[in-house]
Amino acid sequence: MGERRSDTKEKILEAALRLFSRKGFRETTIKDIAKEVGITEGAIYRHFNSKDEIIHELLISITTELKEAIAKSIEKGESEEEIFKNIIEALIGYAFNKPESYRFLNLYHLLKEYPQVTHLPGELILKFLNNLYTKKKLKTYPEVALAVITGSVERIFIFKERNFLRHNTQLIKRELISTLKGALIG
Amino acid sequence: MGERRSDTKEKILEAALRLFSRKGFRETTIKDIAKEVGITEGAIYRHFNSKDEIIHELLISITTELKEAIAKSIEKGESEEEIFKNIIEALIGYAFNKPESYRFLNLYHLLKEYPQVTHLPGELILKFLNNLYTKKKLKTYPEVALAVITGSVERIFIFKERNFLRHNTQLIKRELISTLKGALIG
Amino acid sequence: MGERRSDTKEKILEAALRLFSRKGFRETTIKDIAKEVGITEGAIYRHFNSKDEIIHELLISITTELKEAIAKSIEKGESEEEIFKNIIEALIGYAFNKPESYRFLNLYHLLKEYPQVTHLPGELILKFLNNLYTKKKLKTYPEVALAVITGSVERIFIFKERNFLRHNTQLIKRELISTLKGALIG
Amino acid sequence: MGERRSDTKEKILEAALRLFSRKGFRETTIKDIAKEVGITEGAIYRHFNSKDEIIHELLISITTELKEAIAKSIEKGESEEEIFKNIIEALIGYAFNKPESYRFLNLYHLLKEYPQVTHLPGELILKFLNNLYTKKKLKTYPEVALAVITGSVERIFIFKERNFLRHNTQLIKRELISTLKGALIG
DNA sequence: GATGAATGAGATTTCATTCAT
DNA sequence: TATGAATGAAATCTCATTCAT
């Protein structure tokens, strides 16, 4: 039949992301993905050479997307304080708007080795924090600040997914931003 | 016949923990575990009915252990501030001293559904934070505070494992504690 | 619309021969052949109904070609000795000038059953040898002579392909002819 | 159940040899082998890591066996003429008594690259022929002689398998030996 | 004639689990 | 208790062939 262009490839990536992020890499089978897309297993292999290739392609595109979101949030900020706020907003925004992508990333980095090839989104943030640190505007070491920021966002995300947050999302976002601001740049 | 019920069973649990935390659940096979212990696959089934049972037993014992560590850290503190500090120390201490158990826990909770049966260590901390919040001694919502605390510790742990921290562990610990204290209870 | 019935069909046969003789039947895929020709898999099926049909068509044309070469070598000879020499020259010539066809034939007959339909080139040679034998001009049984002739040529061919021959090809050819002559018809 | 020792491994090798030599490597499946042995596919993998490993193990043992047969035939001979005769007898004997092994070897060397690791049986024969050649006792180049010997034996073998020989085996053997002797050492 | 996505059957391999010894 | 061969189900991947365009 053949959908126009490579609609199918896109559908495979979407289905795979959905399943990987929900169930993990090993526990998601090619058959699962095929069924989700509505094709047969063999058809997957016209678009990808292996399961690993699907995972890798997702990793690259998600990493790129998140990195770009962060880059943009840094560029747009006018003061350091604003940039700080923008970064956290970008992180939370990404996690909340693209939960599957965000989960995928966490899962990947927990299970697989850190891939050398991929420049991680964290690097951009770290650069900014290093800069603040040099100017004595950061209350702690850059690595510690990075850990606090990214770790907090991740947990907030998990809590949200588990319906553990007793306040509405907007409120939580604002709280987190002001808490981290207070903690790190005063 | 010795007195300890089963030396082998203990060794299986240790080996399984080591492998699960390093490679993941699905990517660790019963054969891997058996080889690590120095026995054969069949022998594993003398001590456990299934692979899942091993995972579950590990989950229970690790969860219990961490919960007890936290409980103790709360009991021992005399002031609220001290308890706050103790809790964070207990968390970092656990992560740093029992990295495999800590990794196991993170992995498990990322991959499997939250098991209803298990009372999570976080609950004790949350109770304490709720208490602080009621007394207006917490700068943000308890859930947000819990996210910041546990998320930060997790990231510091990951950074340490990846040799990403440029200062020594003791220094980092102290920094984290003072940062979180500043952020959350001022 | 040209006159040659199908240029593409010819190209497919050539590519298939090249690949089959190099890698074997099963290890050569329709996709391999299509890629070699520069068309797609589906296009192959415009010209052939199945992979087996390609193999069979090659078999027929190669067998015919070799048989004709041998027939010609027999017709052209004036004395029995000359015919004997011509046959061996034709065999070596075919192997050396059409190595892919020759390899194909060997491979086919090693892997598949002897096809009843195909009259083998060997039959012509055997007829000639039978004739010599009747006239008491052959030093051994015709079958043995046929084995010695065809087997020797095949091995010389293999040795050449593996760069195992330490003398130039012309010399080797001459040596082989005189050796076989000495051995079989004195 | 488990037969004593590794009876099963031996049975797998035997069945695999039988099938490979009859049908080829790719056209013989693990399932075929398992069925022939009377076990399931999975069981094969307790004894071998892959299909290739089975092929390789067969290659090594067959090559070794043939090489030893030839080495012995050389050692036992007292005169050069006797050694010459012994070698051919050893080759024919091996082909006729272990037809599956002999077919396997031919098939392997036609389909796969010459393996560097394996010292080929031909080397021993070549050494002997080189020696004869130096002493001016060989009527042609050693490589040509080797080709004539091994090629003739192979074809005789094939003819026998195809019921193409019109005289009894013993007679054929004797004929071949005397023919080759006449051809090569006079 | 040609494309290339898709099918469907089957091949190799993996692995939790069972079981005779 | 322990061994390790065997099972059986399932996973990844391959490929000849079909078919809508």
Side-chain angles (χ1 to χ4, degrees):
Chain A
M1 287 105 206
E3 305 275 327
R4 87 186 72 265
R5 297 290 300 136
S6 198
D7 211 3
T8 304
K9 181 165 182 176
E10 212 47 53
K11 279 187 199 159
I12 293 170
L13 285 171
E14 282 161 21
L17 174 58
R18 205 151 46 237
L19 293 169
F20 284 145
S21 79
R22 196 185 299 151
K23 305 200 300 175
F25 301 110
R26 277 295 258 273
E27 23 286 286
T28 298
T29 70
I30 293 287
K31 196 171 205 159
D32 290 338
I33 299 173
K35 202 176 289 174
E36 184 96 351
V37 176
I39 54 179
T40 58
E41 292 156 271
I44 302 267
Y45 288 88
R46 176 155 293 273
H47 303 278
F48 298 93
N49 290 314
S50 68
K51 189 176 167 180
D52 270 359
E53 196 177 290
I54 302 179
I55 295 173
H56 193 246
E57 200 150 310
L58 282 171
L59 176 67
I60 297 297
S61 80
I62 292 171
T63 302
T64 304
E65 191 179 48
L66 178 53
K67 223 168 57 174
E68 279 169 5
I70 288 165
K72 208 169 289 175
S73 79
I74 291 175
E75 282 162 26
K76 272 205 225 153
E78 307 217 321
S79 64
E80 277 154 350
E81 201 185 310
E82 201 188 350
I83 292 176
F84 185 89
K85 189 183 138 241
N86 285 353
I87 286 175
I88 295 166
E89 269 178 346
L91 280 175
I92 303 186
Y94 193 82
F96 282 18
N97 296 325
K98 307 238 170 174
E100 284 157 357
S101 298
Y102 187 75
R103 260 182 82 81
F104 178 97
L105 225 46
N106 286 329
L107 196 52
Y108 187 91
H109 290 311
L110 195 52
L111 277 173
K112 317 260 175 173
E113 290 312 303
Y114 246 37
Q116 317 307 34
V117 279
T118 334
H119 285 275
L120 289 166
E123 291 186 4
L124 286 173
I125 306 178
L126 190 59
K127 204 172 132 193
F128 168 72
L129 294 172
N130 277 331
N131 191 14
L132 282 190
Y133 187 70
T134 314
K135 296 185 187 163
K136 310 269 186 209
K137 287 177 178 170
L138 195 66
K139 286 184 174 175
T140 184
Y141 299 136
E143 315 106 85
V144 174
L146 184 62
V148 171
I149 292 170
T150 55
S152 300
V153 171
E154 192 202 330
R155 284 292 153 133
I156 285 289
F157 169 74
I158 293 174
F159 285 178
K160 184 183 179 234
E161 284 212 314
R162 306 244 158 97
N163 290 317
F164 197 62
L165 300 180
R166 281 171 300 186
H167 303 83
N168 88 56
T169 304
Q170 284 311 316
L171 211 57
I172 293 288
K173 267 195 201 178
R174 245 176 293 140
E175 273 301 306
L176 184 61
I177 290 169
S178 80
T179 302
L180 292 178
K181 202 148 62 166
L184 300 171
I185 59 175
Chain B
M1 281 89 198
E3 68 192 81
R4 270 157 319 176
R5 278 283 303 297
S6 171
D7 208 13
T8 303
K9 180 164 181 174
E10 210 47 53
K11 280 188 198 155
I12 292 170
L13 286 170
E14 282 162 20
L17 173 59
R18 206 152 44 237
L19 293 170
F20 285 145
S21 77
R22 196 185 300 153
K23 305 200 298 175
F25 301 110
R26 279 291 250 273
E27 23 285 287
T28 297
T29 68
I30 291 288
K31 196 169 198 166
D32 289 339
I33 299 172
K35 201 178 288 173
E36 183 95 351
V37 176
I39 55 178
T40 57
E41 300 147 275
I44 302 265
Y45 288 85
R46 284 276 140 204
H47 303 277
F48 298 93
N49 290 314
S50 70
K51 190 177 169 182
D52 271 358
E53 195 176 294
I54 301 179
I55 295 172
H56 193 248
E57 201 149 309
L58 280 171
L59 177 68
I60 298 298
S61 81
I62 291 170
T63 302
T64 306
E65 190 179 48
L66 178 54
K67 223 166 59 175
E68 279 169 5
I70 287 164
K72 207 170 291 172
S73 79
I74 292 174
E75 283 162 25
K76 271 208 226 150
E78 308 217 320
S79 64
E80 276 154 352
E81 200 184 310
E82 203 187 350
I83 291 176
F84 185 89
K85 188 181 141 246
N86 283 355
I87 287 174
I88 295 166
E89 268 178 345
L91 280 175
I92 303 186
Y94 194 81
F96 283 19
N97 295 325
K98 307 236 171 172
E100 284 157 357
S101 299
Y102 188 74
R103 259 184 83 81
F104 178 98
L105 226 45
N106 285 329
L107 196 51
Y108 187 89
H109 289 311
L110 198 51
L111 279 174
K112 317 262 177 172
E113 292 312 305
Y114 245 34
Q116 317 310 33
V117 280
T118 334
H119 285 276
L120 287 166
E123 293 188 1
L124 286 173
I125 306 177
L126 190 60
K127 203 171 133 194
F128 168 71
L129 293 171
N130 277 333
N131 192 14
L132 280 191
Y133 187 70
T134 315
K135 296 184 186 163
K136 310 271 187 208
K137 286 179 179 169
L138 194 67
K139 287 182 172 178
T140 185
Y141 299 137
E143 316 106 84
V144 175
L146 183 63
V148 171
I149 292 170
T150 55
S152 300
V153 170
E154 191 202 331
R155 284 290 153 135
I156 285 288
F157 169 73
I158 293 174
F159 285 179
K160 185 182 178 232
E161 284 209 317
R162 306 243 158 98
N163 290 317
F164 195 61
L165 300 179
R166 281 171 300 187
H167 303 82
N168 88 56
T169 304
Q170 283 313 313
L171 211 56
I172 293 288
K173 268 193 198 179
R174 246 176 293 142
E175 274 299 306
L176 184 61
I177 291 171
S178 80
T179 301
L180 293 178
K181 202 149 63 168
L184 302 171
I185 60 175
Chain C
M1 276 94 199
E3 68 191 78
R4 270 158 319 176
R5 278 285 302 298
S6 172
D7 207 15
T8 303
K9 181 165 181 175
E10 211 47 52
K11 280 188 198 155
I12 292 169
L13 285 170
E14 283 162 19
L17 173 58
R18 206 153 42 240
L19 294 169
F20 284 146
S21 78
R22 195 184 301 150
K23 305 198 301 177
F25 302 109
R26 278 293 248 273
E27 23 284 286
T28 297
T29 68
I30 291 287
K31 196 168 197 167
D32 289 338
I33 299 172
K35 203 179 286 174
E36 184 95 350
V37 176
I39 55 178
T40 57
E41 299 148 276
I44 302 265
Y45 287 86
R46 285 274 139 204
H47 303 276
F48 298 93
N49 290 313
S50 70
K51 189 177 170 180
D52 271 357
E53 196 177 291
I54 301 178
I55 295 173
H56 193 249
E57 201 149 311
L58 282 171
L59 177 67
I60 298 298
S61 80
I62 291 170
T63 303
T64 305
E65 191 180 44
L66 178 54
K67 225 166 54 175
E68 280 170 4
I70 288 164
K72 207 169 292 174
S73 78
I74 291 174
E75 284 162 26
K76 272 205 229 153
E78 308 219 320
S79 64
E80 276 154 351
E81 200 185 311
E82 204 188 347
I83 292 177
F84 184 89
K85 189 184 139 242
N86 283 356
I87 287 175
I88 296 166
E89 268 179 346
L91 280 175
I92 304 185
Y94 193 83
F96 283 18
N97 295 325
K98 306 237 171 174
E100 283 158 358
S101 298
Y102 188 75
R103 259 184 84 81
F104 178 97
L105 226 44
N106 285 329
L107 196 52
Y108 187 89
H109 289 311
L110 198 52
L111 277 173
K112 318 263 177 174
E113 292 313 306
Y114 245 36
Q116 317 309 33
V117 280
T118 333
H119 285 275
L120 285 169
E123 292 187 2
L124 287 174
I125 307 178
L126 190 60
K127 205 171 130 191
F128 168 71
L129 293 171
N130 278 331
N131 192 15
L132 281 190
Y133 187 69
T134 315
K135 296 184 187 164
K136 308 272 188 210
K137 287 181 179 166
L138 195 65
K139 288 184 173 173
T140 184
Y141 300 137
E143 317 105 86
V144 174
L146 184 62
V148 171
I149 292 170
T150 55
S152 299
V153 171
E154 192 203 331
R155 282 292 153 134
I156 286 289
F157 169 74
I158 293 174
F159 285 179
K160 185 183 178 233
E161 285 210 314
R162 306 240 158 101
N163 291 315
F164 196 61
L165 300 179
R166 281 171 301 187
H167 304 82
N168 88 55
T169 305
Q170 284 313 314
L171 212 56
I172 293 288
K173 269 193 198 177
R174 245 176 293 141
E175 273 300 305
L176 185 61
I177 290 170
S178 80
T179 300
L180 293 178
K181 204 149 59 169
L184 301 171
I185 61 176
Chain D
M1 285 110 205
E3 306 275 324
R4 86 184 73 266
R5 296 294 298 140
S6 200
D7 211 2
T8 303
K9 181 166 183 175
E10 213 46 53
K11 279 187 199 159
I12 292 170
L13 285 171
E14 282 161 21
L17 174 59
R18 205 152 45 237
L19 294 168
F20 284 144
S21 79
R22 195 184 299 150
K23 307 200 297 175
F25 302 111
R26 278 293 259 274
E27 23 285 286
T28 298
T29 70
I30 292 288
K31 195 170 206 158
D32 290 338
I33 300 173
K35 203 176 288 173
E36 184 96 351
V37 177
I39 55 179
T40 58
E41 295 155 89
I44 303 267
Y45 288 88
R46 176 155 294 275
H47 302 278
F48 298 94
N49 290 315
S50 67
K51 190 176 168 180
D52 270 0
E53 196 176 292
I54 301 179
I55 295 173
H56 194 248
E57 201 150 310
L58 282 170
L59 176 68
I60 297 297
S61 81
I62 291 171
T63 302
T64 305
E65 192 179 45
L66 178 52
K67 223 167 58 175
E68 280 169 4
I70 288 165
K72 208 170 288 173
S73 79
I74 291 174
E75 283 163 26
K76 272 206 224 149
E78 307 217 322
S79 64
E80 277 154 353
E81 202 185 307
E82 202 188 348
I83 290 176
F84 185 89
K85 190 185 136 241
N86 284 355
I87 286 174
I88 295 165
E89 269 179 345
L91 280 175
I92 304 185
Y94 193 83
F96 283 18
N97 295 325
K98 307 238 171 173
E100 284 157 356
S101 298
Y102 187 74
R103 261 184 81 80
F104 178 97
L105 225 44
N106 285 329
L107 195 54
Y108 187 91
H109 290 311
L110 196 52
L111 277 174
K112 318 259 177 176
E113 291 312 304
Y114 246 34
Q116 316 309 33
V117 279
T118 335
H119 286 276
L120 288 168
E123 292 187 3
L124 287 173
I125 306 178
L126 190 59
K127 205 171 133 191
F128 168 70
L129 293 171
N130 278 331
N131 192 15
L132 281 190
Y133 186 71
T134 314
K135 294 184 188 162
K136 311 271 186 208
K137 287 179 178 168
L138 194 66
K139 287 184 175 175
T140 185
Y141 299 137
E143 314 107 85
V144 174
L146 184 62
V148 171
I149 292 170
T150 55
S152 301
V153 170
E154 192 202 331
R155 282 292 152 133
I156 287 288
F157 169 74
I158 293 174
F159 286 178
K160 185 183 179 234
E161 285 210 315
R162 305 245 157 97
N163 291 316
F164 197 61
L165 300 179
R166 281 170 301 186
H167 303 83
N168 88 54
T169 304
Q170 282 313 313
L171 212 53
I172 294 287
K173 266 194 201 178
R174 245 177 293 141
E175 273 300 305
L176 185 61
I177 290 171
S178 79
T179 301
L180 293 177
K181 204 149 60 170
L184 301 171
I185 60 176

